[in-house]
Amino acid sequence: MPASNINGVIMGYNKILIPLDGSQAAELVLQHLPKIAEPGAHIHLVSVLVDEPVSEFPRLWAEDGQKRRHDRETYLLGVATDLKRQGFKVTTVTCVGPAIEHITEAITDDFDLVLMATHRRSALGRFMVGSVSYGILNRTDCSILIV
């Protein structure tokens, strides 16, 4: 289904940023693209790996971190390939560090819309791990659609 069609004029977003963390919940936003994006729209996929050691030994963490980054980049390229088949122009970036900061930095590139998922954490869950969608919502003037 294409973007909104009003009196023969297609209305939709041309430049959409989509944060993805590799979860099925985050990927649910992709099903909405044909309904809200212009044909051939630029879709920018952003994925942020939280930089936290999984070992006391930095050497072991570095290897694990490199593998995690490679796996996430491979994942994004797969999503990008699917979106390109649908006619979208797609770019990807994988970052390491604080998710909210990296995503809000990317939003400054004149995006029409940020399309993102929420994991629907409980109040305790939001307190313990934070809410990326809430953090982004409060740090940008860009239109945001949270699914």
Side-chain angles (χ1 to χ4, degrees):
M1 182 175 189
S4 301
N5 188 333
I6 300 173
N7 296 327
V9 177
I10 294 177
M11 314 239 345
Y13 295 97
N14 283 311
K15 196 170 180 187
I16 302 172
L17 183 137
I18 303 176
L20 292 174
D21 63 6
S23 70
Q24 290 179 341
E27 283 188 32
L28 289 175
V29 301
L30 300 174
Q31 67 186 335
H32 298 284
L33 272 178
K35 299 172 193 156
I36 61 174
E38 289 279 349
H42 172 218
I43 309 300
H44 185 60
L45 304 175
V46 177
S47 192
V48 181
L49 294 166
V50 177
D51 187 11
E52 60 184 41
V54 294
S55 169
E56 294 178 14
F57 302 101
R59 184 184 63 78
L60 294 176
W61 181 83
E63 290 173 5
D64 183 62
Q66 290 171 357
K67 181 182 179 338
R68 287 176 48 224
R69 184 178 184 115
H70 173 76
D71 291 349
R72 188 64 60 87
E73 289 169 346
T74 301
Y75 160 75
L76 280 186
L77 289 175
V79 174
T81 299
D82 290 343
L83 293 175
K84 287 176 183 177
R85 286 187 192 127
Q86 295 177 45
F88 296 111
K89 298 173 190 149
V90 185
T91 54
T92 65
V93 66
T94 302
C95 308
V96 177
I100 295 170
E101 284 76 10
H102 281 292
I103 295 168
T104 53
E105 283 175 18
I107 294 171
T108 61
D109 291 337
D110 296 325
F111 285 94
D112 301 327
L113 178 71
V114 176
L115 177 59
M116 62 188 305
T118 179
H119 291 288
R120 299 180 190 167
R121 289 188 177 100
S122 66
L124 179 60
R126 284 190 303 274
F127 175 75
M128 296 298 287
V129 297
S131 170
V132 173
S133 55
Y134 183 77
I136 291 169
L137 185 64
N138 287 302
R139 293 186 186 191
T140 184
D141 294 327
C142 182
S143 297
I144 300 174
L145 176 57
I146 300 174
V147 178

